[in-house]
Amino acid sequence: MVIIIGAGPIGLATGIQLKQRNIPFKIIEKGCLVNSLFNYPTNMTFFSTSDRLEIGGVPFISHGPKPTRSEALEYYRRVAESYELPIHLYEAVQALEGTDGDFTVTTDKDIYKASKVVVATGFYGSANMMNVPGEELPKVKHYYDEPHPYAWQKVLVVGGGNSAVDAALECYRAGAEVSMAVKYDTIKPSVKYWVKPDIENRIKKEEVKGYFNTTVKEIREKEVVLDTPDGEKIIKNDFVLAMTGYHPNYPLMEKLQVELTEDEKCMPVYNEDSLETKRKGVYVAGVVCGGLDTSRLFIENSRVHADQIADHIEKNL
């Protein structure tokens, strides 16, 4: 039995590869199916075309040139149903004991015996915190959903990447009074090329207020304190959308005894060919392999991990 932790696209792809090799497995997911994609903004459109998000040879047909979040959720549901994948949702892994060939996986619902374990937990499940006073207030959101709740409200968007820009533009068009706090001197060059000129023009026309080289110092009930190049500035505020990025579930990695690199990327140490970690019999798959380097791996270029892992498991069972 192989236990796959994470029911994202790469976890599903790994399950499909194991099934095609007649290797028994279970997929365990702490949230809903493709939980990371579910937490994407409601109106999000993928950067990639649908064919690059396909798994298991199942065609992904979208209505536009690039698929939407809702189309992706439907697609991966259809794939899971088509292959009849054994998936346990809303079940969190708590511990991993034993050695290669004889593991015991403990969750908050059950205990499983496993010969191998695959970690495909992504990085979108854990938000990067600003670690400032007031961040715990209910008005602070680390995941953006849709613009409607912020209509006619004073909204501060923290960040200068794709998520921040999308949130700022959508909220602005829904009637919010939007400000952006960007720690760099400009919007990130990596922002989608068809969106970047839009936000830059909104800032230039002061339809969105841009604070650059700026960080959040404190969040209060009705205002936010910013640390700007011109000194401390207090602005009125109803909501803070902290689009500050995300990171892998490191507490889980520690429980699984997965060794990490000691550099700034803090990525799992694994064999490039097999994806097996230093803990023999434990593999990593998908974007979790990149650690804090979240711009290197995506669904489209980590789908091959499923084949690599399944091949190695088949040879070593």
Side-chain angles (χ1 to χ4, degrees):
M1 170 72 69
V2 177
I3 293 293
I4 300 170
I5 306 174
I10 308 306
L12 299 181
T14 304
I16 291 168
Q17 289 299 321
L18 292 174
K19 185 159 191 174
Q20 291 175 340
R21 291 163 171 78
N22 295 312
I23 299 172
F25 68 96
K26 281 185 171 62
I27 301 175
I28 299 176
E29 166 60 55
K30 70 175 183 179
C32 64
L33 187 74
V34 289
N35 193 62
S36 292
L37 302 192
F38 173 74
N39 282 315
Y40 284 177
T42 305
N43 301 319
M44 196 206 81
T45 298
F46 281 83
F47 187 87
S48 301
T49 53
S50 56
D51 61 298
R52 301 191 67 191
L53 303 177
E54 292 176 355
I55 59 173
V58 178
F60 184 175
I61 308 299
S62 60
H63 296 292
K66 296 180 180 180
T68 64
R69 166 188 171 275
S70 61
E71 288 176 327
L73 295 178
E74 180 183 357
Y75 170 74
Y76 290 115
R77 285 199 306 271
R78 185 158 50 86
V79 170
E81 290 171 352
S82 175
Y83 279 96
E84 298 180 331
L85 301 178
I87 302 172
H88 295 223
L89 300 175
Y90 302 103
E91 185 170 350
V93 172
Q94 297 179 326
L96 174 64
E97 299 174 343
T99 57
D100 184 22
D102 187 24
F103 288 117
T104 299
V105 180
T106 302
T107 74
D108 58 0
K109 292 184 178 179
D110 211 337
I111 297 174
Y112 305 91
K113 298 298 292 185
S115 57
K116 309 283 184 182
V117 174
V118 180
V119 184
T121 50
F123 67 83
Y124 199 64
S126 304
N128 294 333
M129 306 300 286
M130 296 179 288
N131 297 315
V132 299
E135 190 169 7
E136 75 285 350
L137 289 171
K139 73 173 190 174
V140 181
K141 314 291 182 182
H142 288 90
Y143 291 89
Y144 168 72
D145 43 12
E146 58 178 320
H148 178 75
Y150 310 110
W152 311 322
Q153 303 298 294
K154 293 177 174 61
V155 177
L156 174 68
V157 178
V158 183
N162 278 303
S163 296
V165 168
D166 286 345
L169 287 172
E170 286 193 6
C171 288
Y172 157 71
R173 293 199 164 94
E177 183 181 318
V178 179
S179 300
M180 295 184 72
V182 184
K183 66 179 180 180
Y184 310 105
D185 59 2
T186 184
I187 295 295
K188 282 188 177 182
S190 58
V191 168
K192 292 171 285 195
Y193 67 85
W194 64 90
V195 174
K196 191 167 179 283
D198 191 357
I199 189 63
E200 289 173 337
N201 286 332
R202 301 290 75 73
I203 292 173
K204 185 177 180 180
K205 294 181 178 180
E206 297 189 347
E207 295 167 336
V208 171
K209 178 63 177 177
Y211 296 96
F212 292 94
N213 296 309
T214 294
T215 56
V216 175
K217 188 173 182 180
E218 182 182 352
I219 302 170
R220 300 170 182 165
E221 195 65 44
K222 285 296 180 181
E223 57 191 20
V224 174
V225 183
L226 300 177
D227 189 0
T228 80
D230 299 322
E232 185 177 288
K233 183 173 183 62
I234 299 176
I235 62 173
K236 293 181 179 180
N237 175 261
D238 297 306
F239 289 98
V240 175
L241 301 180
M243 304 292 98
T244 48
Y246 307 91
H247 61 267
N249 186 342
Y250 286 121
L252 176 62
M253 302 284 253
E254 185 177 353
K255 291 177 183 177
L256 301 178
Q257 299 172 40
V258 173
E259 184 179 333
L260 305 173
T261 60
E262 296 182 0
D263 57 13
E264 68 280 357
K265 294 182 180 179
C266 199
M267 55 191 286
V269 179
Y270 60 90
N271 181 288
E272 292 282 350
D273 296 323
S274 66
L275 283 303
E276 188 175 31
T277 68
K278 286 292 188 71
R279 187 174 186 182
K280 192 170 174 58
V282 177
Y283 302 79
V284 285
V287 298
V288 72
C289 296
L292 295 177
D293 186 3
T294 56
S295 61
R296 184 170 67 90
L297 291 171
F298 307 94
I299 297 171
E300 51 266 46
N301 64 359
S302 62
R303 292 178 297 178
V304 295
H305 292 177
D307 300 84
Q308 291 173 257
I309 291 171
D311 284 344
H312 192 263
I313 288 177
E314 187 176 32
K315 293 173 184 174
N316 290 276
L317 278 178

